[in-house]
C-alpha cells in the first residue's frame, strides 16, 4: 500500500522532528552532565527537581533571561545571523533524515484523521547529499560568528572552524561513498530498506572501516572532544562563542546537539539497520536506542580521551583518514566488480 | 648622722648611719624582696620576706640598721627556702581567680610567687569566710584577697596621718602543732599573725571616715583594696600611663593618668584611674580621684575664636585663677606686656604680695625649704596659718611624717580647731587661737625658738614685756622627822623613836608666765612643761606658713616676721602656695589688685569667658588635656602631659592671633622668666622621674636667687584685735580645690557650710549666711574632725565668687540664721 | 639553609617513578609504525573501559566523592580554627567568660575588645565583647590562653556574610540558652590538653 505524502503529513513530520530534536537537545545537556559526572565519580546535577531533572528548566530560564548584548565593534548583522545559520542548517539537514517509521493518524482524530506521516519529511532522492550539503553549510555559523565579534579568540575559533570542518567534510564524503556504492541510492529510506533483513544485513559488517571513518569525521563535524578545537576553553577561552551569551549562545548549543543527533541518526540508518523492527522491538524504539547509543558514545569519549592539537588534527585528516577512505572506496569497487 | 659604707652581695654601698639595710639596698638598685615595707614609712615586720644575712646573722633588712662595714648577703639557700615557704603560706587560701582581680598583672603576690618559684603548695588550713565591704565612697575592701601586709595601715598612719585603718580579728582557725613543726620559723610566725588578722577601719565602725585620699589603694600589693569606681573596669596592662602632675593642690604631686578607650563603641581615650610612684610620693584625694575634669567633645569653632580674638583685643582685664600652666601664665604676662591689659587673679595676688614682702625682708626670692626636705631632715615642725588637713595635703603629709619617722614634734597654730592633728604624734601641740592673732603667733615663735641675739632690740623688748614673773604658792611634799615616845609592850620600857613622815607644805616659787601663750589661749606653765618635753633631742626645725597670713590685714608685716623667724630661728621655711600653680603664677605674672572695664575671664567669670570647664564662650583645654609645666610647692618646675585628646583652640592659638606666638604651647617652656629662677630648658628636654633612692628628678628646681634686702623692720603691734562673734573662714572641704575638682565624678564633697558636729547640730540642716550684703543659703555639713565655733565656707565654685565676698581677709564675721 | 635545600624542603618522599615513553620516532617509517601500533593497540579502548567502569560504580555502588555541601558537611579537623564560640556553664547557663582580658591581651592582631564592670552581684561582668573579624587571623591564641574554656574555635567555617557584625558580637558567638543542652565541649583549639591532670601539682585542702 502506497500512501500519498500530503503537505500536511510532511508538515507534521517536520514539526515532530523540530520539537523532538529541540527537546532532545535540551535533554541532551542534562544527560551529558550526568554521564560526565558519573564517569568522574560525581552525582551531577541533583538539586533542581527529582534527580536534578529540572536543571534543564533552570538553565532554560537562565538562558532566556540573560542579557543579550552585542559587542561594540562587532558586525551586528552578521553577529546576529551566525547562530541562526548554525541552528537553521542543523534542522535543515534533519529534513532528509528518517526519524521514526511512517504511520497514519487514526480516523477518529479530528482534522488530522487519516493523514499519513512519512518516516522522512522530504524523501528527496539525493538524501545523503542533501544532508552533507546542509551540514557543510553549517560551517558558516561558527565561521561568521568568530569573525564578526572583534575578538581574537573568536578569530582563532573561526579559523579553526574553516580548517577543521573543510578537512573532515572530505573524510565524511569519502567514507560514505562506499556504502552508497553498495546500496546504489542516495535516499536514506533505501538504505533502511536495504538493511531491513536483520542484523546480519547491516552495512557495518560490510563496511567497518567506512563506519569508523564516518564516526571519527562525525565527531569532528559536530565539534566534539577529542576534536573540540573550535571552542576549546583551555586554549582560546570559548573560541567562536566567546562573545555570545543568552539566547544566541543557546542557538549554537541547540545546533550542536541537533548535529550530534543527525550524526547519530545517519550512523544508525546507514550502517546499523535504521528503523527496521528488530525481533520484538519496534522500529521506532530500535532507532531511539541506536541514536542514544551514539549520543552516549560521544559523551563517553569526551569523558575518556584528551583532545588533540590542531596540527595533529590536520595530520590525522589528510595523512591518515582520507587515504584510508580512498583505499576503502577502491577496495569496495574492486570487490563489487569481482562479485559482479 | 654620718656616712657609712656597707657591702651588699659584694657591692659597696654608701648610706647613712642608722638607715635601714633595705633602704640602702633600694637606693643602690639592689633587689631584696619585701612586701610589707614602704620606703618612707616605718617597718611593719609583717611579711618577713626581706630576710637577709648581715655579718652571718639573719636579720630583717627592713628594720635592721646598717652599721659601718657590714657585710650583707641577700640570698642563700636557707633564706630562699624561708622566703619560698613564706610565699607558699601567702598562697594558702588565696583565691586563684586572678582573671577577675584588678591587680592581676601588677600584683606583688603574683610577682613574688613567680619570682620565688612557688609551683606547689604543701600547707593547708580551713578558710574563713570574709565578706567584701565598702569602707567609704571610694574604698572597696575584699578581705578574701588581703594578705594583711598592713601597708595600707602603715601608709595611712605614717604618711597620710588619718590612721583610719588598723588590724582587727579575723576569726581564723588556729595553726595546729603539726604545722608548727613543718612550717619554717619565719613563715610560721608570719602565718600565725596572718591567720589572726584582717584590716578594719580603726574607728570600730564599718566606715573609715578618713580623707579618702586612696593612698591605701595605691600601696595595696594585691587586689584587696581598689577604688569602687575602678573596680572590674580594666586590667592593668590595658592602661597607658601618662606621666603628669596633679592639677589641684599646690604640691604638684607626681601622678600617672591611666588611659584606655572609653568603651568598645567609643574609642576616644578616657582616664580610668590615677596612680603614683607611691614609694616616693603620696597623693591627696583630689589628685587621685579628681581626674575626669577634661573639656570633652570640643571642636574648633572659628566663629567663637574670632570673637575671642576681638574680646582679647578690647579687654582691659583678664581674670584667671591658679589652675593654669606656667606657659599659659607666661602667655598672659606677654599679653599684659604687649597690650597693657590688667591681670586679675584674687587667688594668687595675696600670695604674690606676701612673697614679695618676704623677699624684701629676707633677701631671698623664695623660701628656703620644701616638704621633701622637711620629711627628710626635720624633727620639729611648726605650722602657722594653714588648715593643714584641707589646704595643703602635701604639707600635712610632711607634718605627720616628721612625727612618725623622725621622732619629731609639732606645733600647730590655726583658729579652726582640728581633732586630727593632735593625734598625729604624742608631742604635737595645737593652738586654736582667735583669728587676727597671727602676729602674736609669730612673736611667740620668735620668743620660743629665736636666737635672742639675732633679734632686733625692739622685738626683744617687746617679747620681754610678755614675760611676767609671779610667785605662786604650791603644795610640796616634804619629809619631816617626827620623834615619838613608844612604850615597849614586853618590857614596858619607854623609847624614843625617830621616823620620817611625809608632810604637805606650802612653798612659794617663782614662775615665768608667757603672756603670748595665754593670749593664744593656753595655760602658760602647762605649755612650758609640754614644750620642754617636745624640745628634747630636737635639732632641725621647720616652719610652714599658709593662706591665713596672706589674706590678713597685716600680711606684709607677717611676711617680715616670717623672714625674721627664718633667719633668727634657723627654720627650714615653706610658704605654702594656696592652690594648684599659684607659685608659678606669682612668679611669672605681674598681677593687678583689681579688675576694671571689659573683662575676659579664663575659667573665671567675665564679659567674655574662656573656659576649660565647658559652657564658656570659647572652649579651652583642661589641665589633663595639655602639655606644659607647673611650679610646685617644692620650688620645682614639673612637666605634665596631655592624657586626653583636645581638638579645639588653645590659649597659644589665641595669642598667635592677637600678638604672635610660637607654634606650640610648650615652646613657651624655655621662655619662662629666667630672672625669676626659671631655666632655658625645652619642654622635651625635661626629665621626669624619681631615682631609686627617692630623689626627685622631675623637671628642674628653680634657682634660688638672692635679692636685695629692702625692708626688714617688723612692726610692733600696739594691740591685737581678734575677730569676735560668729566667724566664717574661706576654707574648702578636703578634696575640693576648684571647679575642676567639683566637676570630677568621684569627688562628693558638696558646696555647703562646714562646721564641727556640735556647731552643725546647733545650726540645723540649712542656714542662711549673711556676708555683708550678700546672702547665701547653704546646707550644713558636719565635719567631725573640725572643732570649735568657726564655720567654713568653700570657695571652689568660682560662680559663687566667695573670694569677692571675703576680699582681702580669710576670716569674716557672718550672721547665721536657720533657713 | 641553602637555596637548593630550601627549594627541596619537604617535597614528598622523592620516590618518583619515571614513565618509559620510548623514543620519539624520527623517520617517517618510524612515525608510521608508531601510528599503526597506537591505533591498533587497545589503549584507547582501555581508557573508555576505565571511565565506563567508574560510571557503573558511581551509579550502582554510590561511590562518589561529592559531598552535597550545604546539606552534608564532613567533620572538620580539630586543628581547624573557625569562627569563635563562647561557651556557657552547663549547670547554671551563665556564660563562662569572666572578663579576665587575657584573650584581649594575647591577641596579636589586636582584634578582641571587651568592656567589663562591677555588677549587682559584686562580680566582674562582661558588658560588651567583640572580635573584629576583619582583623582576626584565626591564630587560636585566644582559645589557648582562656583559663575558663570560655572562648574556643568552633566548627562554623562558613564566614561569608553580608555584614561582619553578624559574627562579632558576644551574643552571636554565645551558645543560645535554649540550646545549652546541645552544647559540646570543643576538642580542638583551646581544649584541655590530653594529659592535663598528670601535669598539675595537687594543692592540699584542709576541708
Amino acid at each position: 500500500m502506497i500512501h500519498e505524502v500530503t503537505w500536511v503529513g510532511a508538515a507534521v513530520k517536520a514539526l515532530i522532528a523540530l520539537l523532538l530534536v529541540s527537546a532532545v537537545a535540551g535533554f541532551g545537556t542534562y544527560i551529558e552532565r550526568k554521564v560526565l559526572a558519573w564517569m568522574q565519580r560525581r552525582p551531577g546535577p541533583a538539586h533542581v527537581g527529582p534527580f536534578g531533572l529540572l536543571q534543564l528548566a533552570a538553565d532554560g530560564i537562565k538562558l532566556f533571561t540573560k542579557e543579550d548584548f552585542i559587542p561594540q565593534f562587532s558586525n551586528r548583522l552578521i553577529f546576529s545571523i551566525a547562530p541562526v545559520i548554525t541552528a537553521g542548517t542543523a534542522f535543515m539537514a534533519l529534513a532528509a533524515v528518517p526519524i521514526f517509521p511512517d504511520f497514519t493518524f487514526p480516523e477518529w482524530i479530528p482534522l488530522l484523521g487519516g493523514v499519513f506521516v512519512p518516516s522522512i519529511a522530504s524523501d528527496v532522492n539525493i538524501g545523503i547529499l542533501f544532508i552533507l550539503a546542509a551540514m557543510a553549510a553549517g560551517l558558516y555559523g561558527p565561521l561568521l560568528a568568530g569573525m564578526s565579534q572583534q575578538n581574537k579568540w573568536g578569530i582563532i575559533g573561526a579559523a579553526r572552524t574553516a580548517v577543521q570542518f573543510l578537512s573532515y567534510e572530505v573524510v565524511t564524503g569519502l567514507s560514505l561513498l562506499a556504502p552508497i556504492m553498495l546500496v546504489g541510492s542516495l535516499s536514506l529510506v533505501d538504505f533502511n530498506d536495504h538493511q531491513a533483513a536483520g542484523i546480519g544485513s547491516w552495512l557495518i559488517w560490510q563496511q567497518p572501516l567506512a563506519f569508523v571513518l564516518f564516526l571519527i569525521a562525525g565527531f569532528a563535524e559536530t565539534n566534539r572532544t577529542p576534536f573540540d578545537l573550535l571552542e576549546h576553553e583551555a586554549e582560546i577561552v570559548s573560541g567562536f562563542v566567546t562573545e555570545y551569551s543568552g539566547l544566541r549562545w543557546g542557538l549554537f548549543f541547540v545546533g550542536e546537539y541537533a548535529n550530534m543527533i543527525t550524526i547519530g541518526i545517519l550512523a544508525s540508518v546507514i550502517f546499523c539497520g535504521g528503523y527496521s523492527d528488530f525481533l520484538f522491538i519496534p522500529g521506532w524504539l530500535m532507532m531511539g536506542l541506536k541514536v542514544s547509543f551514539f549520543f552516549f558514545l560521544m559523551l563517553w569519549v569526551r569523558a575518556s580521551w584528551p583532545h588533540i592539537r590542531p596540527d595533529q588534527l590536520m595530520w590525522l585528516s589528510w595523512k591518515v583518514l582520507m587515504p584510508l577512505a580512498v583505499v576503502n572506496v577502491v577496495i569496495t569497487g574492486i570487490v563489487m566488480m569481482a562479485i559482479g | 648622722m654620718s656616712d657609712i659604707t656597707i657591702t651588699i652581695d659584694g657591692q659597696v654601698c654608701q648610706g647613712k648611719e642608722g638607715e635601714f639595710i633595705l633602704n640602702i639596698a633600694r637606693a643602690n638598685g639592689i633587689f631584696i624582696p619585701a612586701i610589707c615595707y614602704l620606703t618612707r614609712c616605718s617597718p611593719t615586720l609583717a611579711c618577713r620576706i626581706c630576710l637577709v644575712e648581715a655579718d652571718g646573722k639573719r636579720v630583717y633588712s627592713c628594720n635592721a640598721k646598717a652599721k659601718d662595714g657590714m657585710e650583707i648577703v641577700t640570698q642563700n639557700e636557707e633564706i630562699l627556702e624561708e622566703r619560698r615557704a613564706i610565699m607558699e603560706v601567702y598562697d594558702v587560701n588565696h583565691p586563684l581567680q586572678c582573671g577577675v582581680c584588678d591587680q592581676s598583672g601588677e600584683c606583688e603576690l603574683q610577682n613574688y610567687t613567680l619570682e620565688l618559684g612557688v609551683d606547689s603548695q604543701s600547707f593547708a588550713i580551713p578558710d574563713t569566710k570574709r565578706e567584701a565591704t565598702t569602707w567609704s565612697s571610694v574604698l572597696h575592701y575584699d578581705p578574701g584577697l588581703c594578705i594583711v601586709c598592713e601597708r595600707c595601715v602603715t601608709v595611712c598612719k605614717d604618711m597620710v596621718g588619718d590612721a583610719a585603718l588598723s588590724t582587727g580579728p579575723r576569726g581564723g582557725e588556729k595553726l595546729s602543732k603539726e604545722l608548727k613543726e613543718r612550717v619554717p620559723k619565719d613563715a610560721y610566725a608570719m602565718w600565725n599573725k596572718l591567720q589572726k588578722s584582717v584590716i578594719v577601719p580603726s574607728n570600730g565602725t564599718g566606715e573609715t571616715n578618713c580623707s579618702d585620699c586612696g593612698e591605701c589603694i595605691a600601696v595595696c600589693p594585691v587586689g584587696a583594696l581598689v577604688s569602687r569606681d575602678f573596680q572590674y573596669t580594666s586590667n592593668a596592662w590595658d592602661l597607658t600611663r601618662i606621666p603628669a602632675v596633679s592639677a589641684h593642690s599646690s604640691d604638684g604631686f607626681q601622678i600617672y593618668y591611666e588611659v584606655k578607650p572609653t568603651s568598645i563603641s567609643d574609642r576616644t581615650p578616657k582616664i580610668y584611674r590615677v596612680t603614683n610612684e607611691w614609694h616616693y610620693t603620696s597623693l591627696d584625694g583630689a589628685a587621685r580621684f579628681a581626674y575626669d575634669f577634661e573639656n570633652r567633645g570640643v571642636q574648633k569653632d572659628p566663629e567663637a575664636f574670632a570673637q575671642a580674638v576681638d574680646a582679647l583685643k578690647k579687654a582691659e582685664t583678664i581674670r584667671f585663677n591658679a589652675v593654669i600652666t606656667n606657659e599659659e601664665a607666661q602667655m598672659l604676662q606677654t599679653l599684659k606686656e604687649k597690650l597693657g591689659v590688667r591681670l586679675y587673679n584674687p587667688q594668687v595676688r595675696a600670695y604674690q604680695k606676701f612673697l614679695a614682702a618676704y623677699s624684701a625682708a629676707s633677701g631671698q626670692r623664695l623660701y628656703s625649704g620644701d616638704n621633701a626636705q622637711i620629711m627628710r631632715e626635720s624633727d620639729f615642725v611648726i605650722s602657722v596659718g594653714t588648715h593643714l588637713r584641707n589646704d595643703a595635703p602635701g604639707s600635712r603629709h610632711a607634718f605627720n611624717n616628721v612625727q612618725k619617722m623622725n621622732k619629731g614634734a609639732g606645733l600647730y597654730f590655726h583658729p579652726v580647731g582640728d581633732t586630727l592633728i593632735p593625734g598625729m604624734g604624742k608631742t604635737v601641740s595645737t593652738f586654736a587661737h582667735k583669728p587676727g592673732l597671727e602676729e602674736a603667733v609669730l612673736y611667740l615663735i620668735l620668743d620660743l625658738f629665736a636666737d635672742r641675739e639675732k633679734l632686733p632690740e625692739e622685738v626683744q623688748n617687746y617679747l620681754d614685756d610678755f614675760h611676767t614673773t609671779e610667785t605662786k604658792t604650791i603644795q610640796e611634799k616634804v619629809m619631816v622627822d617626827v620623834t615619838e615616845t613608844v612604850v615597849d609592850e614586853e618590857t614596858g620600857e619607854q623609847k624614843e623613836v625617830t621616823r620620817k613622815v611625809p608632810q604637805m607644805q606650802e612653798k612659794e616659787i617663782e614662775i615665768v608666765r608667757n603672756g603670748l601663750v595665754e593670749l593664744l589661749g593656753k595655760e602658760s606653765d602647762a605649755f612650758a612643761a609640754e614644750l620642754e618635753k617636745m624640745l628634747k633631742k630636737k635639732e632641725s626645725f621647720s616652719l610652714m606658713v599658709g593662706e591665713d597670713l596672706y589674706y590678713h590685714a597685716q600680711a606684709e608685716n607677717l611676711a617680715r616676721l616670717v623672714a625674721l623667724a627664718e633667719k633668727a630661728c634657723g627654720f627650714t621655711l615653706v610658704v605654702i602656695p594656696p592652690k594648684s600653680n599659684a607659685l608659678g603664677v606669682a612668679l611669672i605674672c605681674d598681677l593687678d589688685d583689681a579688675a576694671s572695664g571689659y573683662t575676659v575671664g579664663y575659667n573665671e567669670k567675665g564679659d567674655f569667658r574662656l573656659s576649660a570647664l565647658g559652657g564658656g564662650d570659647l572652649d579651652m583645654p583642661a589641665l589633663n588635656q595639655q602639655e606644659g609645666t607647673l611650679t610646685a610647692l617644692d620650688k620645682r618646675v614639673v612637666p605634665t602631659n596631655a592624657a586626653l585628646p583636645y581638638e579645639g583652640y588653645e590659649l597659644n592659638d589665641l595669642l598667635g592671633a592677637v600678638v604672635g606666638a610660637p607654634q606650640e604651647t610648650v615652646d613657651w617652656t624655655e621662655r619662662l622668666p629666667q630672672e625669676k629662677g626659671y631655666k632655658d630648658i625645652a619642654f622635651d628636654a625635661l626629665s621626669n622621674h624619681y631615682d631609686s633612692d627617692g630623689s626627685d628628678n622631675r623637671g628642674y628646681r628653680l634657682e634660688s636667687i638672692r635679692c636685695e634686702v629692702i625692708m626688714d623692720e617688723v612692726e610692733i603691734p600696739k594691740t591685737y584685735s581678734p575677730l569676735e562673734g560668729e566667724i566664717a573662714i574661706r576654707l574648702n572641704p578636703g578634696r575640693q580645690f576648684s571647679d575642676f575638682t567639683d566637676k570630677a565624678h568621684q569627688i562628693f564633697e558638696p558646696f555647703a557650710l562646714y562646721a564641727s558636729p556640735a556647731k552643725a547640730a546647733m545650726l540645723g540642716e540649712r542656714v542662711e549666711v549673711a556676708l555683708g550684703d550678700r546672702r547665701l543659703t547653704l546646707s550644713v555639713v558636719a565635719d567631725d574632725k573640725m572643732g570649735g565655733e568657726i564655720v567654713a565656707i568653700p570657695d571652689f565654685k568660682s560662680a559663687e565668687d566667695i573670694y569677692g565676698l571675703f576680699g582681702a581677709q580669710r576670716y569674716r564675721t557672718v550672721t547665721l540664721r536657720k533657713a | 639553609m641553602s637555596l637548593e635545600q630550601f627549594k627541596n624542603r619537604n617535597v614528598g618522599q622523592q620516590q618518583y617513578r619515571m614513565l618509559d615513553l620510548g623514543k620519539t620516532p624520527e623517520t617517517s617509517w618510524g612515525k608510521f609504525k608508531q601510528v599503526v601500533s597506537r591505533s591498533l593497540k587497545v589503549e584507547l579502548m582501555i581508557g573508555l573501559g576505565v571511565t565506563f567502569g567508574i560510571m557503573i560504580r558511581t551509579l550502582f555502588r554510590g561511590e562518589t566523592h561529592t559531598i552535597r555541601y550545604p546539606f552534608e558537611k564532613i567533620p572538620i579537623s580539630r586543628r581547624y580554627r573557625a569562627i569563635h564560640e563562647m561557651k556557657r556553664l552547663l549547670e547554671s547557663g551563665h556564660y563562662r567568660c569572666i572578663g579576665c582580658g587575657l584573650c584581649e591581651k594575647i591577641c596579636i592582631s589586636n582584634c578582641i575588645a571587651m568592656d567589663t564592670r562591677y555588677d549587682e552581684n559584686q562580680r566582674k561582668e562582661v558588658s560588651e565583647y567583640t572580635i573584629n573579624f576583619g582583623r582576626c587571623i584565626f591564630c587560636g591564641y585566644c582559645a589557648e590562653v582562656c583559663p575558663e574554656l570560655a572562648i574556643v574555635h568552633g566548627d562554623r567555617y562558613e564566614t561569608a556574610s553580608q555584614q561582619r557584625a553578624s559574627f562579632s558580637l558576644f551574643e552571636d558567638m554565645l551558645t543560645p540558652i535554649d540550646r545549652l543542652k546541645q552544647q559540646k565541649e570543643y576538642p580542638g583549639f583551646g581544649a584541655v590538653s590530653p594529659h592535663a591532670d598528670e601535669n598539675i601539682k595537687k594543692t592540699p585542702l584542709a576541708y
Side-chain angles (χ1 to χ4, degrees), chain A residues 35 37-44 46-47 296-297 300-301 303-306 315 320, chain C residues 31 35 44-45 47-49 51-52 54-55 57-59 63-66 68 70-71:
Chain A
V35 169
W38 292 332
M39 291 187 169
Q40 294 163 354
R41 275 190 194 145
R42 294 187 285 117
H47 292 304
F296 173 74
L297 184 66
W300 189 6
V301 167
S304 310
W305 295 347
W315 173 85
V320 182
Chain C
K31 284 180 185 170
V35 169
L44 286 171
M45 301 305 138
L48 285 178
T51 46
F52 196 81
I54 288 172
M55 183 176 80
R57 276 156 61 190
T58 309
L59 269 174
E63 288 179 19
T64 61
H65 287 306
T66 302
R68 289 156 198 271
F71 311 111

Side-chain angles (χ1 to χ4, degrees), chain C residues 78-94:
Chain C
R78 59 172 58 176
R79 302 289 298 170
Y80 190 80
R81 302 182 291 266
I83 289 283
H84 309 71
E85 281 177 7
M86 305 295 294
K87 300 287 188 190
R88 286 181 189 272
L89 292 168
L90 289 173
E91 301 81 17
S92 65
H94 196 272

Side-chain angles (χ1 to χ4, degrees), chain B residues 61 103 130 134 153 350 370 384 433 470 486 586-587 635:
Chain B
S61 61
Q103 198 76 3
R130 288 162 284 164
T134 50
V153 177
D370 60 57
V384 182
H433 59 85
E470 278 179 15
V486 183
L587 289 174
K635 298 180 288 183

Side-chain angles (χ1 to χ4, degrees), chain B residues 472-601:
Chain B
K472 195 176 172 186
T473 318
I474 54 163
Q475 301 279 322
E476 203 180 33
K477 220 184 243 175
V478 183
M479 294 310 245
V480 184
D481 288 345
V482 180
T483 310
E484 285 177 4
T485 313
V486 183
V487 181
D488 194 318
E489 284 173 17
E490 283 175 25
T491 55
E493 260 180 274
Q494 283 192 349
K495 256 206 248 175
E496 280 201 352
V497 177
T498 311
R499 284 192 306 168
K500 281 197 188 287
V501 172
Q503 203 178 351
M504 299 308 279
Q505 267 187 355
E506 286 200 350
K507 192 184 171 192
E508 286 201 342
I509 53 163
E510 264 196 2
I511 53 161
V512 179
R513 290 188 88 87
N514 191 336
L516 278 169
V517 173
E518 310 215 317
L519 180 66
L520 295 172
K522 275 214 175 188
E523 277 289 315
S524 170
D525 38 350
F527 177 70
E530 203 178 344
L531 187 69
E532 194 185 340
K533 228 196 283 172
M534 286 165 78
L535 282 173
K536 262 183 199 157
K537 289 198 215 160
K538 296 298 183 289
E539 287 164 354
S540 172
F541 296 81
S542 45
L543 174 66
M544 305 167 167
V545 299
E547 213 174 331
D548 291 10
L549 308 194
Y550 325 146
Y551 293 92
H552 194 279
Q554 300 297 322
E556 289 190 14
N557 192 40
L558 285 168
R560 280 178 223 126
L561 274 171
V562 167
L564 180 63
E566 184 186 16
K567 198 166 65 188
C569 316
F571 284 147
T572 305
L573 175 70
V574 173
V575 182
I576 302 166
K579 259 166 211 184
S580 194
N581 195 24
L583 180 56
V585 172
L587 289 174
I588 295 165
C589 298
D590 291 334
L591 299 175
D592 293 281
D593 284 326
S596 68
Y598 187 82
T599 305
V600 173

Side-chain angles (χ1 to χ4, degrees), chain C residues 26-45:
Chain C
E26 280 163 17
T27 59
S28 302
W29 175 240
K31 284 180 185 170
F32 179 74
K33 278 202 295 185
Q34 191 188 41
V35 169
V36 171
S37 74
R38 282 192 179 170
S39 303
L40 297 184
K41 269 190 188 170
V42 286
E43 281 172 353
L44 286 171
M45 301 305 138

Side-chain angles (χ1 to χ4, degrees), chain B residues 93 99-100 119-127 132 140 231-235 237-238 260 263-265 267, chain C residues 98-102 104-105 113-118 122-125 128-130 201-207:
Chain B
N93 291 339
V100 293
D119 59 352
S120 63
Q121 178 63 268
S122 27
F123 314 123
I125 198 164
D127 203 357
H140 179 277
Q231 189 170 29
Y232 294 162
T233 54
S234 179
N235 283 313
W237 56 76
D238 283 331
K260 191 179 101 156
S263 70
I264 285 174
S265 45
R267 301 311 281 174
Chain C
I98 54 169
C100 70
L102 288 180
E104 191 182 9
K105 175 69 182 159
M114 62 169 73
D115 287 347
T116 54
R117 64 166 183 231
Y118 186 77
Q122 305 189 338
R123 296 172 65 106
K124 190 174 190 175
E125 184 195 40
E128 266 190 76
Y129 188 102
T130 71
K201 293 188 179 172
K202 306 279 190 294
T203 301
L205 290 175
Y207 46 87

Side-chain angles (χ1 to χ4, degrees), chain B residues 324-334 581 588-589 623 626-631 637-640 651-652 655 664-672 678 681-683 686 700:
Chain B
I324 63 171
T325 61
N326 292 332
E327 285 72 15
E328 286 179 303
Q330 180 63 27
M331 287 179 213
L332 296 177
Q333 175 64 15
T334 307
N581 195 24
I588 295 165
C589 298
L623 271 183
Q626 51 176 324
E627 292 181 313
T629 57
L630 298 175
T631 311
V637 180
V638 285
T640 184
L651 190 60
N652 193 43
L655 221 72
E664 303 287 342
T665 301
V666 289
D667 292 335
W668 289 93
T669 309
E670 59 215 76
R671 291 163 211 229
L672 295 173
Y678 290 94
I681 301 178
F683 179 79
L686 292 175
Y700 59 85

